[in-house]
C-alpha cells in the first residue's frame, strides 16, 4: 500500500506532515495526467484539509488560491468517475481501491446517489466478494435503506455480524471514534439476538466481544435475554480457564500487615507482582480519639487526595496503553491494573484497621458512629440521624439494615444542602430512591470540568504518553510526557526532531511555551498548564482546594467558556464509582449491592456476604469523608 495522504480530523497532530507531502503533489499536478481512483481520492483528502482551514504557515494567499483551483478540477474529475459506477464496473473499481480510501469511496457513493446505478444483485455480489466493505457501507443511511433485504440477508450469515452489532451498541468509544452504523429496518431485535447467540457458539469467538455480551444493557436497538447473557458468562469462564491452563496470564498481589516495632506510620514495598503495605501498631496506639483514627482513611490510607477527591476511582490517566485501547463495553466500569490494586489495598486497609480495633474490643462501626457525632458538631443547628447498630446479627441482616439507613443519610444531606437544615418530616414524605447525582453541594462553586477542544488538545500534547513530543535523542524514553521533560530537564529547541519542532513552535507562538535566556524551551503559561495537569490527573478540579491565583485563572477560563462548574456533593467519577458498588444505574459489571440485597437476589454464601458488608462499610466511609469536606467548605 502506497504511503498516501489521509485526512483524519481537524485536530490530528499529523496534519502538518500531510500538508508537506500535499505541497509536492499539488506543485507537480498536471491536469492531462491519467489518474487512478486512488490518485483522485488522495487529492480529495488534501481538499478536506483545506476545507478545515489547515494550511502550511508559509503558504501565501496566492498559493492557496492556485492550489484551490487544482482541488476544484480534481473534484470534478472524481465526481465524473464515481457517477459512472454501476454493476458492470464496481467490481473492478473495488479491486483496485486502497484500504484507506474505502470510507471516502462509500461516503461519496452515498453523497452523489451513485448507488442508484447498482442493483440488488450487484450489491449482493460486492458483499460476497468484498465482505469487509460492510463496515463502510453501514454508516451510509441511504444505501442501507435502499438495499434493506440484501444487507439483512448478508448480516444473518456473515461471521462477524455479531462483532459489528456489539461494536455499535455496546462498545465504549469516544464520540470521535464512534461510527454511526445504520441497520436494515427489517433486521429486528430477534434477528440481532440470534446473530449474537450463534456467535457465542463459534469456536473462534473473541473473548472481548463475549464480555460485551455479558455486560450489555438493554436498549431499543439491542435487547438480549437472560439466557443469552448466561450463555456468554459460561463461554467467558470457559475461555478464561483455557487461558489460565495455558499460562497466558499474570498476577497482581496486594498484602497489608501490622508491625509493632515499626517507627514509620507505613512502609510500602514492591517486589515482582507483590505490593505490600505495612502499618505501625505503635503509630496507631499514639492516636488518641476516634475522629483522628477515622481520619486514617483520608490521610494514611489515602481514600481521598489532598484536594478531597476520592482516589479510588478508575482514572483514564492511570490506564496503560493496552488498557485504554482494549475493547470494553460502554456499560462497563473500567478496571485497569492500577484500579484493581487500589481496590484490593483499600479493602485490606479497612480490614487491618478493624483487626487492630478488635484488639481494643472495638470495631470500624464504632468509628463511623463517632464520626457522625463529629459531623453533627460541625453543622451545629441540626443533626444527622444515622447509626450503625452494634449487633451480632448475620452479615445478611446487617446489610439489609444498613442500606436503607444509608439512603436516609443521603436524603438528609440533600435536604441540608438545599434548605440549610434537616427536616425529617419532609424527607419522610418521599419513598423514591435517591440518585447520587441529585445530591447538591453547599458550596456555590464546587467542581470544575472541561469539554473544550483546545483544553483536550493541550492535555494530549503536554501530558499524554501518546503525544510523541517527550522523546528526544538526548533523553530517550526517560520521561513519558512533555510536561515532565520540560520541568525536569533543560531542553533546547534543537533537541527536538523536525516533526516535533513544528508543534513546539506552534505552542511557542500561541504563548504556552517560550524560549528563555539560555535558549531552553520552558513553560510560559504556568497557571494554565497546571490547571490542565490537574484536569488530566482527576478529570476535574475541586475549586476551593486550590490557591487564589489558580482560582482566579479558573474563573477567567469559566468566563471564557473553556471550563464549567457543577455544584454537587460528588464528582462525576465519584458518582460513577459509588454507583458501581450500589446499583446498575451506570455499570452492568458492578456489585449492585443495594438492589441485590433489597430485592433478595443476593449471594447465599456467608463469606461473600461478609465481603459485601465490608465493601458497604467502605462506601459509607467515603460518603462521610465527602460530606465532611463539603460542610467545611460551606
Amino acid at each position: 500500500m502506497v504511503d498516501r495522504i489521509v485526512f483524519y480530523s481537524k485536530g490530528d497532530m499529523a496534519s502538518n506532515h500531510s500538508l508537506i507531502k500535499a505541497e509536492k503533489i499539488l506543485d507537480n499536478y498536471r491536469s492531462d495526467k491519467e489518474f487512478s481512483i486512488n490518485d483522485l481520492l488522495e487529492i480529495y483528502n488534501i481538499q478536506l484539509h483545506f476545507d478545515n482551514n489547515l494550511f502550511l504557515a508559509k503558504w501565501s494567499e496566492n498559493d492557496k488560491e492556485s492550489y484551490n483551483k487544482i482541488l476544484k478540477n480534481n473534484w470534478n474529475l472524481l465526481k465524473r468517475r464515481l457517477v459512472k459506477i454501476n454493476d458492470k464496473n464496481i467490481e473492478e473499481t473495488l479491486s483496485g481501491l486502497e484500504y484507506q480510501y474505502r470510507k471516502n469511496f462509500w461516503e461519496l457513493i452515498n453523497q452523489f446517489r451513485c448507488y442508484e446505478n447498482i442493483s440488488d444483485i450487484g450489491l449482493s455480489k460486492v458483499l460476497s466478494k468484498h465482505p469487509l466493505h460492510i463496515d463502510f457501507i453501514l454508516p451510509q443511511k441511504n444505501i442501507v435503506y435502499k438495499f434493506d433485504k440484501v444487507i439483512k440477508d448478508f448480516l444473518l450469515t456473515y461471521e462477524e455480524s455479531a462483532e459489528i452489532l456489539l461494536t455499535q451498541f455496546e462498545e465504549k468509544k469516544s464520540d470521535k471514534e464512534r461510527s454511526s452504523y445504520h441497520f436494515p429496518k427489517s433486521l429486528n431485535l430477534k434477528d440481532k439476538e440470534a446473530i449474537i447467540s450463534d456467535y457465542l457458539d463459534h469456536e473462534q469467538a473473541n473473548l472481548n466481544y463475549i464480555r460485551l455480551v455479558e455486560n450489555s444493557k438493554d436498549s431499543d436497538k439491542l435487547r438480549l435475554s437472560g439466557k443469552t447473557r448466561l450463555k456468554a458468562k459460561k463461554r467467558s469462564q470457559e475461555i478464561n480457564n483455557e487461558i489460565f491452563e495455558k499460562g497466558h496470564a499474570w498476577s497482581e498481589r496486594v498484602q497489608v500487615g501490622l508491625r509493632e516495632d515499626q517507627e514509620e506510620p507505613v512502609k510500602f514495598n514492591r517486589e515482582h507482582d507483590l505490593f505490600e503495605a505495612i502499618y505501625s501498631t505503635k503509630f496507631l496506639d499514639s492516636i488518641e480519639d476516634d475522629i483522628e483514627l477515622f481520619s486514617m482513611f483520608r490521610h494514611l490510607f489515602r481514600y481521598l487526595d489532598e484536594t478531597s477527591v476520592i482516589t479510588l476511582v478508575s482514572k483514564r490517566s492511570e490506564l496503560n496503553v493496552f488498557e485504554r485501547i482494549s475493547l470494553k463495553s460502554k456499560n462497563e466500569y473500567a478496571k485497569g491494573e492500577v484500579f484493581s490494586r487500589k481496590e484490593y489495598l483499600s479493602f485490606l486497609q479497612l480490614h487491618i484497621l478493624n483487626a487492630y480495633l478488635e484488639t481494643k474490643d472495638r470495631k470500624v462501626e464504632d468509628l463511623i458512629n463517632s464520626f457522625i457525632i463529629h459531623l453533627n458538631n460541625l453543622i451545629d443547628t441540626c443533626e444527622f440521624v444515622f447509626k450503625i447498630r452494634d449487633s451480632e446479627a448475620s452479615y445478611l441482616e446487617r446489610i439489609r439494615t444498613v442500606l436503607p439507613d444509608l439512603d436516609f443519610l443521603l436524603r438528609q444531606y440533600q435536604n441540608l444542602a438545599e434548605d440549610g437544615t434537616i427536616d425529617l418530616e419532609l424527607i419522610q414524605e418521599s419513598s423514591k430512591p435517591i440518585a447520587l447525582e441529585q445530591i447538591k453541594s453547599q458550596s456555590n462553586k464546587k467542581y470544575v470540568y472541561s469539554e473544550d477542544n483546545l483544553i483536550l488538545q493541550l492535555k494530549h500534547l503536554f501530558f499524554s504518553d501518546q503525544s510523541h513530543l517527550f522523546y528526544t535523542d538526548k533523553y530517550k524514553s526517560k520521561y513519558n510526557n512533555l510536561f515532565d521533560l520540560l520541568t525536569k530537564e533543560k531542553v533546547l529547541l534543537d533537541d527536538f526532531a523536525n516533526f516535533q519542532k513544528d508543534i513546539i513552535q506552534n505552542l511557542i507562538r500561541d504563548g504556552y511555551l517560550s524560549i528563555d535566556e539560555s535558549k531552553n524551551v520552558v513553560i510560559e503559561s504556568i497557571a494554565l498548564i497546571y490547571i490542565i495537569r490537574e484536569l488530566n490527573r482527576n478529570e476535574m478540579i475541586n475549586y476551593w482546594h486550590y490557591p487564589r491565583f489558580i482560582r482566579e485563572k479558573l474563573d477567567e477560563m469559566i468566563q471564557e467558556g473553556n471550563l464549567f462548574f457543577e455544584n454537587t456533593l460528588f464528582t462525576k467519577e465519584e458518582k460513577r464509582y459509588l454507583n458501581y458498588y450500589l446499583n446498575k444505574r451506570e455499570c452492568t459489571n458492578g456489585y449492585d449491592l443495594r438492589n441485590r440485597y433489597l430485592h433478595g437476589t443476593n449471594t447465599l454464601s456467608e463469606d461473600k456476604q461478609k465481603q459485601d458488608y465490608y465493601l458497604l462499610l467502605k462506601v459509607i466511609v467515603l460518603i462521610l469523608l465527602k460530606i465532611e469536606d463539603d460542610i467545611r467548605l460551606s
Side-chain angles (χ1 to χ4, degrees):
M1 187 174 65
V2 180
D3 180 23
R4 292 186 181 271
I5 295 169
V6 178
F7 173 78
Y8 294 104
S9 70
K10 188 171 184 178
D12 179 44
M13 296 296 105
S15 60
N16 215 59
H17 178 65
S18 294
L19 288 169
I20 292 171
K21 292 197 296 182
E23 183 178 44
K24 294 179 181 178
I25 293 174
L26 295 174
D27 286 342
N28 295 312
Y29 182 86
R30 295 196 331 271
S31 59
D32 60 345
K33 177 184 174 182
E34 187 174 336
F35 295 97
S36 70
I37 186 67
N38 297 302
D39 295 332
L40 295 172
L41 287 170
E42 180 171 33
I43 300 175
Y44 167 67
N45 274 265
I46 297 174
Q47 179 183 325
L48 292 176
H49 282 80
F50 279 50
D51 291 345
N52 284 274
N53 294 316
L54 295 173
F55 309 101
L56 289 180
K58 69 176 184 176
W59 288 347
S60 67
E61 290 303 315
N62 286 336
D63 291 331
K64 294 177 189 177
E65 185 178 346
S66 175
Y67 291 151
N68 271 314
K69 288 178 181 178
I70 294 172
L71 296 177
K72 184 176 181 181
N73 183 67
N74 181 77
W75 174 251
N76 291 330
L77 290 174
L78 177 59
K79 185 173 182 180
R80 287 200 293 270
R81 179 77 62 89
L82 292 176
V83 296
K84 293 178 181 178
I85 294 289
N86 56 40
D87 284 356
K88 295 180 180 179
N89 58 26
I90 189 168
E91 165 61 23
E92 181 185 354
T93 303
L94 292 180
S95 295
L97 185 66
E98 294 176 11
Y99 177 82
Q100 68 266 41
Y101 296 136
R102 291 180 181 182
K103 180 175 182 285
N104 297 136
F105 176 83
W106 287 106
E107 284 175 344
L108 294 171
I109 291 292
N110 188 70
Q111 181 179 333
F112 298 147
R113 303 185 70 86
C114 308
Y115 56 84
E116 293 177 352
N117 301 329
I118 303 170
S119 67
D120 284 3
I121 294 175
L123 187 67
S124 183
K125 288 180 179 178
V126 164
L127 291 173
S128 177
K129 292 183 179 180
H130 305 278
L132 296 180
H133 278 260
I134 191 65
D135 285 327
F136 307 98
I137 291 173
L138 288 176
Q140 311 311 321
K141 182 178 180 179
N142 294 335
I143 298 178
V144 174
Y145 286 177
K146 180 181 188 298
F147 298 100
D148 185 289
K149 186 176 185 306
V150 173
I151 295 176
K152 175 189 174 181
D153 290 344
F154 171 78
L155 291 173
L156 288 172
T157 58
Y158 184 43
E159 289 187 356
E160 296 182 21
S161 290
E163 296 182 3
I164 292 173
L165 289 168
L166 292 167
T167 295
Q168 176 65 18
F169 299 123
E170 294 298 330
E171 185 182 355
K172 182 177 183 178
K173 286 188 174 184
S174 68
D175 292 337
K176 290 181 180 180
E177 296 172 317
R178 187 172 300 281
S179 294
S180 182
Y181 286 169
H182 302 277
F183 292 93
K185 289 184 177 180
S186 60
L187 189 75
N188 57 38
L189 293 172
K190 187 176 180 181
D191 293 327
K192 293 173 183 175
E193 180 162 22
I195 288 171
I196 290 171
S197 181
D198 288 344
Y199 178 79
L200 295 174
D201 294 327
H202 292 172
E203 186 176 341
Q204 301 301 320
N206 187 311
L207 178 59
N208 291 314
Y209 287 101
I210 294 173
R211 286 172 175 162
L212 289 185
V213 179
E214 275 191 276
N215 295 316
S216 65
K217 194 172 186 179
D218 284 348
S219 69
D220 58 347
K221 301 294 184 183
L222 183 68
R223 292 179 190 169
L224 302 178
S225 65
K227 184 182 291 186
T228 299
R229 288 197 181 92
L230 180 59
K231 186 178 183 180
K233 183 178 181 180
K234 290 181 177 179
R235 189 81 170 89
S236 175
Q237 290 172 344
E238 176 187 330
I239 297 175
N240 268 323
N241 291 337
E242 290 176 3
I243 291 172
F244 283 119
E245 287 174 7
K246 293 176 181 178
H248 301 303
W250 63 91
S251 65
E252 176 73 22
R253 296 182 296 147
V254 176
Q255 183 172 293
V256 172
L258 290 171
R259 186 167 293 158
E260 293 183 358
D261 59 349
Q262 182 173 298
E263 296 296 331
E264 299 89 344
V266 60
K267 281 185 178 180
F268 295 110
N269 301 305
R270 183 69 190 262
E271 186 175 348
H272 304 300
D273 63 344
L274 174 64
F275 181 85
E276 183 181 53
I278 304 297
Y279 294 92
S280 166
T281 303
K282 186 182 296 186
F283 173 76
L284 294 176
D285 287 341
S286 71
I287 298 176
E288 297 181 352
D289 61 47
D290 284 357
I291 307 309
E292 195 175 348
L293 263 177
F294 189 90
S295 295
M296 289 263 296
F297 291 109
R298 172 192 288 273
H299 302 299
L300 198 59
F301 292 168
R302 293 284 292 168
Y303 277 23
L304 270 60
D305 71 7
E306 68 280 1
T307 68
S308 290
V309 173
I310 295 175
T311 61
L312 307 181
V313 302
S314 178
K315 299 181 182 181
R316 180 171 174 78
S317 61
E318 292 177 341
L319 297 175
N320 61 40
V321 175
F322 176 77
E323 290 166 345
R324 288 200 297 268
I325 66 174
S326 62
L327 197 66
K328 290 184 286 292
S329 168
K330 64 183 178 182
N331 305 303
E332 171 186 355
Y333 193 79
K335 297 186 287 186
E337 181 182 331
V338 173
F339 173 78
S340 296
R341 189 189 312 130
K342 291 190 297 186
E343 283 293 276
Y344 297 144
L345 180 60
S346 62
F347 184 71
L348 292 174
Q349 286 168 330
L350 182 64
H351 270 284
I352 205 71
L353 180 59
N354 194 65
Y356 168 79
L357 289 169
E358 285 180 343
T359 65
K360 312 293 184 184
D361 199 25
R362 309 201 63 215
K363 298 178 181 178
V364 166
E365 292 91 330
D366 297 320
L367 297 189
I368 291 174
N369 291 334
S370 294
F371 199 74
I372 289 291
I373 297 172
H374 162 69
L375 293 179
N376 286 334
N377 290 333
L378 292 179
I379 57 177
D380 193 34
T381 57
C382 51
E383 290 188 350
F384 291 111
V385 177
F386 181 84
K387 184 176 183 179
I388 298 183
R389 297 162 182 80
D390 185 12
S391 170
E392 296 302 321
S394 68
Y395 287 107
L396 175 61
E397 291 172 324
R398 293 189 215 180
I399 294 172
R400 287 181 173 168
T401 300
V402 168
L403 279 168
D405 289 349
L406 175 60
D407 193 74
F408 189 52
L409 174 65
L410 292 170
R411 288 177 182 279
Q412 291 175 72
Y413 195 77
Q414 180 191 32
N415 187 204
L416 178 65
E418 291 182 348
D419 299 336
T421 189
I422 298 174
D423 188 334
L424 298 181
E425 287 185 310
L426 177 63
I427 295 169
Q428 290 163 355
E429 283 296 308
S430 174
S431 59
K432 290 182 180 180
I434 187 170
L436 295 175
E437 57 266 27
Q438 292 177 277
I439 307 173
K440 299 299 181 184
S441 166
Q442 294 189 69
S443 171
N444 63 354
K445 189 182 293 183
K446 189 68 181 287
Y447 303 118
V448 181
Y449 300 90
S450 177
E451 294 175 353
D452 183 72
N453 286 332
L454 175 61
I455 299 296
L456 293 175
Q457 188 174 354
L458 291 172
K459 187 193 293 187
H460 174 82
L461 291 174
F462 279 93
F463 298 102
S464 173
D465 58 4
Q466 297 298 295
S467 74
H468 305 301
L469 290 177
F470 55 86
Y471 181 91
T472 65
D473 287 339
K474 187 174 181 180
Y475 297 107
K476 305 297 181 184
S477 297
K478 186 177 179 180
Y479 303 99
N480 62 10
N481 64 66
L482 178 63
F483 179 85
D484 286 346
L485 174 66
L486 296 182
T487 53
K488 295 176 182 178
E489 304 290 352
K490 296 185 182 301
V491 187
L492 302 173
L493 182 60
D494 285 339
D495 289 336
F496 291 99
N498 288 333
F499 78 93
Q500 297 170 315
K501 283 182 184 177
D502 290 332
I503 301 173
I504 296 296
Q505 287 173 329
N506 285 340
L507 291 171
I508 293 171
R509 181 197 64 201
D510 294 336
Y512 305 117
L513 298 176
S514 63
I515 304 293
D516 68 10
E517 295 177 355
S518 302
K519 307 298 182 184
N520 294 311
V521 178
V522 295
I523 294 173
E524 178 70 15
S525 303
I526 299 294
L528 171 63
I529 302 305
Y530 175 77
I531 286 169
I532 293 173
R533 187 186 76 167
E534 293 299 279
L535 289 171
N536 180 71
R537 181 170 71 101
N538 282 332
E539 299 296 330
M540 44 62 59
I541 287 175
N542 194 351
Y543 182 84
W544 292 105
H545 283 276
Y546 288 81
R548 179 183 292 275
F549 81 98
I550 294 295
R551 298 202 305 271
E552 289 174 351
K553 184 64 178 179
L554 290 170
D555 290 338
E556 177 188 324
M557 295 173 72
I558 290 170
Q559 187 69 31
E560 292 172 352
N562 303 120
L563 304 174
F564 64 93
F565 65 85
E566 291 185 354
N567 299 331
T568 54
L569 177 60
F570 304 108
T571 72
K572 292 178 181 180
E573 288 306 317
E574 289 171 344
K575 171 183 66 70
R576 186 171 172 82
Y577 177 74
L578 295 173
N579 278 334
Y580 164 72
Y581 275 99
L582 295 173
N583 55 62
K584 289 192 175 183
R585 184 183 295 270
E586 296 183 85
C587 309
T588 54
N589 64 332
Y591 290 96
D592 200 22
L593 294 176
R594 176 192 282 162
N595 294 330
R596 286 196 294 111
Y597 280 93
L598 293 183
H599 296 152
T601 57
N602 51 272
T603 177
L604 298 179
S605 164
E606 291 186 10
D607 287 341
K608 186 66 170 66
Q609 289 169 3
K610 179 180 179 180
Q611 178 182 327
D612 287 346
Y613 177 69
Y614 277 94
L615 290 176
L616 186 56
L617 289 183
K618 185 173 82 167
V619 168
I620 291 171
V621 167
L622 290 169
I623 289 172
L624 293 179
L625 288 173
K626 292 296 295 185
I627 286 175
E628 181 196 35
D629 176 64
D630 201 63
I631 291 172
R632 288 188 181 281
L633 292 177
S634 63

